Amino acid sequence: LQKSLSETFGADKYSRARKEVLTYMFSRPMQMALYFCTGVLEDETLFHHYALNVPFYTHFTSPIRRYADIIVHRLLSASLGARSPIKMEKEAIQKQADHCNDRKMASKRVQELSADLFFSIFVRVRP
C-alpha cells in the first residue's frame, strides 16, 4: 500500500499535498478519541486504550493548545496534590468535555470535507 501511494504522489509541486490528503483519508476510519469525566461513568472498561492495551488511559498535550488539555492538567495536578482541587462539579466537567467533543467533531468534519474536495479535484485533473 505504501509503495502504491508513493507512486501516486508524484514529484510535482502538489505531491506533498496529495500525500497528506491521501494519508489522511486512509487513516479516517480510525475511531476518534472522546473527552469524558471519569466521575460520571460507571463502566471502567471505557477507560481502556485498545491499541496500547492499558486499562486506564489519560491523554493530553501541552495545556497551551486546547481547553480540554488545560482541564486535564489541572485535574491531574490536583490529584497529585500539586495544586488545590478544581471547584467544579463532575457534571460541569462533563458538560465541558461534551462541548470540546462537539467542537472537535465539527472541526474534523470540515477537515474531511476539505480533503474530499481536494481529492475530487485531484482525480478530475489527473489523466
Side-chain angles (χ1 to χ4, degrees):
L1 181 62
Q2 183 62 36
K3 182 180 178 206
S4 176
L5 280 175
S6 295
E7 292 169 0
T8 303
F9 298 149
D12 62 2
K13 63 182 180 177
Y14 299 112
S15 61
R16 182 171 181 219
R18 278 193 297 274
K19 178 181 178 183
E20 288 179 24
V21 169
L22 291 173
T23 301
Y24 171 76
M25 290 179 81
F26 281 112
S27 66
R28 196 186 311 184
M30 295 172 61
Q31 184 180 1
M32 195 163 148
L34 295 174
Y35 297 110
F36 62 90
C37 177
T38 58
V40 300
L41 297 178
E42 294 181 16
D43 184 4
E44 289 187 359
T45 63
L46 296 174
F47 307 161
H48 181 264
H49 191 286
Y50 177 78
L52 297 176
N53 195 27
V54 292
F56 296 100
Y57 180 80
T58 298
H59 173 80
F60 56 93
T61 61
S62 171
I64 62 171
R65 292 192 56 211
R66 296 183 294 238
Y67 181 69
D69 296 316
I70 292 171
I71 296 295
V72 171
H73 274 256
R74 289 177 182 169
L75 289 168
L76 286 173
S77 293
S79 70
L80 295 171
R83 64 169 287 149
S84 59
I86 293 179
K87 295 178 179 10
M88 286 176 76
E89 296 294 323
K90 61 187 174 185
E91 292 78 15
I93 294 171
Q94 183 59 48
K95 187 176 179 179
Q96 290 296 323
D98 291 339
H99 178 73
C100 289
N101 289 331
D102 290 343
R103 297 295 84 214
K104 187 167 68 164
M105 293 291 235
S107 173
K108 182 173 175 59
R109 184 69 183 132
V110 169
Q111 185 179 14
E112 288 173 350
L113 290 170
S114 174
D116 290 348
L117 176 64
F118 179 88
F119 185 69
S120 64
I121 293 170
F122 166 69
V123 169
R124 190 161 137 223
V125 300
R126 185 99 173 159

